[in-house]
Amino acid sequence: MIQVKNLSKQFGNFTAVNNISFEIKAGEVAGLLGPNGAGKTTTMRMLTGFYNPTGGSIQIDTLSMPANRQTIQKKIGYLPESASSYADMVVWDFLHFAADARGLSAEEKAKGLEKSIAATGISEYLYHPIHKLSKGYKQRVGLASALVHDPSILILDEPTSGLDPNQIAEIQNLIRELSKEKTIILSSHILSEVEAVADRVLIIARGELTYDKSIAELKNQSQTTTLAAFRNAPENLPDILRESLGLPERPQPQMRDGETLFRIAGDKETSHRIFRAAAERNLELTEVYRETESLETLFRSITGGNK
Ligand SMILES: Nc1ncnc2c1ncn2[C@@H]1O[C@H](COP(=O)(O)OP(=O)(O)OP(=O)(O)O)[C@@H](O)[C@H]1O
Ligand SMILES: [Mg+2]
């Protein structure tokens, strides 16, 4: 369980993270979503103990950071934003180095290496220099190094950034697989990437937490519009629709290819009523379809279009 209360970070006079609070339950996958410069990396660096907060508190499994930094760091695997800088090392040496840096015993190290190599699917590449690997595999190696001490919490800073669509899908599958055992916080500036793996989305914009809901709630919030097209529409059609659909105002018609088109907020029930109204009055209804606002559009409206 991760509890963050009124967390802030200032760099000189600049506030990078401003008084944010959230809780992440054990086993949850939370996506920290925000545009460039929002404060995602700064928040993650405070959670992982690389930065001391300027204000507020962080508790991880009832231990507070930074007072229990070393104990907490044993529970956390961190994949930083930029790919590993040990490009000249072969994968195997790099993972040993990561395990030694964690101070693991010989037994823990052997177990940890075996498990993290298997989990990330890199066993074929252990003797390759890191710089020769594809970006997707570099990211897997980074993940393996973050898993080597078998942490219960994973903090992944933009794990899919810079990857091609196939590599993104592979890393997302890997994250989904890891989420069966671990609590995960990952950051991204693309909502669909968060949606693909996370249960929760926390939106951060200009250092402030502006949204904190489950993905299911977020989806419910997206608007569905029903579009109906008529041929030879009578002049009083807006009045007919207003009445049949119980709308507060007459819907505005648009002309399209000689047809009259209406866009009306609403889901299934709206289309049923349109069909019924058309049948009762012998109207030439040519098309009815529904459009759901994409989550990206919703995200832009939540973050004020700053993307
Ligand atoms: N060490 C630092 N010193 C001064 N300012 C910093 C420092 N680290 C970050 N900042 C500033 O704090 C703000 C938040 O940065 P941060 O890296 O946390 O954003 P981010 O959400 O991770 O962005 P990105 O999507 O680009 O990675 C930015 O304006 C950044 O310039
Ligand atoms: Mg960042």
Side-chain angles (χ1 to χ4, degrees):
M1 157 98 123
I2 299 168
Q3 257 187 326
V4 168
K5 274 194 199 144
N6 307 111
L7 188 67
S8 295
K9 179 71 185 174
Q10 287 183 302
F11 297 109
N13 290 330
F14 177 74
T15 305
V17 173
N18 190 6
N19 201 29
I20 66 173
S21 303
F22 59 86
E23 266 185 35
I24 297 177
K25 293 192 201 79
E28 241 180 342
V29 181
L32 198 54
L33 184 66
N36 291 130
K40 304 181 293 294
T41 299
T42 306
T43 303
M44 290 182 149
R45 286 192 176 147
M46 290 192 277
L47 291 174
T48 50
F50 285 92
Y51 282 159
N52 283 334
T54 322
S57 66
I58 298 171
Q59 280 214 326
I60 295 181
D61 293 344
T62 72
L63 297 169
S64 61
M65 189 71 122
N68 301 282
R69 189 190 316 262
Q70 287 194 329
T71 317
I72 290 177
Q73 282 182 338
K74 287 188 184 149
K75 296 171 182 276
I76 295 180
Y78 177 40
L79 180 69
E81 194 166 21
S82 46
S84 113
S85 50
Y86 302 95
D88 290 332
M89 283 176 125
V90 298
V91 173
W92 179 251
D93 291 344
F94 172 65
L95 294 180
H96 274 262
F97 168 78
D100 291 338
R102 287 281 177 183
L104 302 185
S105 69
E107 197 188 330
E108 287 169 334
K109 182 169 154 179
K111 246 188 172 166
L113 287 172
E114 192 188 332
K115 202 172 165 189
S116 62
I117 289 167
T120 53
I122 55 172
S123 56
E124 281 175 47
Y125 299 94
L126 294 178
Y127 302 103
H128 282 57
I130 293 174
H131 71 265
K132 291 222 167 138
L133 297 175
S134 68
K135 270 192 176 169
Y137 270 84
K138 275 190 193 129
Q139 203 62 326
R140 286 170 185 254
V141 171
L143 263 172
S145 76
L147 286 166
V148 79
H149 55 300
D150 200 17
S152 57
I153 299 168
L154 274 181
I155 297 189
L156 314 174
D157 199 352
E158 306 217 23
T160 52
S161 147
L163 304 184
D164 72 31
N166 287 330
Q167 294 167 336
I168 290 177
E170 284 171 20
I171 295 292
Q172 286 176 343
N173 282 339
L174 200 63
I175 293 172
R176 257 182 243 120
E177 214 34 56
L178 292 168
S179 72
K180 292 178 186 163
E181 277 190 25
K182 319 233 175 245
T183 306
I184 301 179
I185 305 181
L186 58 97
S187 69
S188 174
H189 49 266
I190 303 169
L191 177 59
S192 55
E193 292 194 356
V194 169
E195 189 205 348
V197 291
D199 317 307
R200 282 249 309 279
V201 55
L202 304 167
I203 296 181
I204 173 166
R206 291 176 216 93
E208 301 197 6
L209 192 68
T210 55
Y211 196 85
D212 176 0
K213 289 207 166 106
S214 69
I215 295 284
E217 281 174 286
L218 176 69
K219 283 186 177 162
N220 276 340
Q221 204 179 319
S222 59
Q223 276 257 345
T224 300
T225 307
T226 298
L227 291 95
F230 294 85
R231 205 173 287 158
N232 301 318
E235 228 166 76
N236 65 342
L237 186 51
D239 289 309
I240 294 174
L241 291 176
R242 189 187 64 77
E243 199 176 307
S244 317
L245 299 168
L247 303 174
E249 284 172 28
R250 299 160 74 216
Q252 285 298 317
Q254 285 170 287
M255 290 310 289
R256 190 194 66 179
D257 302 334
E259 295 186 329
T260 310
L261 183 73
F262 293 89
R263 297 172 163 271
I264 297 160
D267 214 327
K268 256 197 185 128
E269 180 57 25
T270 305
S271 14
H272 286 166
R273 289 190 188 190
I274 293 172
F275 279 120
R276 210 179 307 135
E280 282 167 9
R281 293 171 182 80
N282 261 334
L283 299 170
E284 283 186 61
L285 179 62
T286 55
E287 201 176 6
V288 175
Y289 59 99
R290 290 194 287 269
E291 270 180 3
T292 300
E293 180 186 30
S294 78
L295 290 181
E296 287 301 332
T297 312
L298 184 64
F299 171 50
R300 277 200 294 278
S301 68
I302 293 166
T303 55
N306 181 4
K307 224 194 105 178

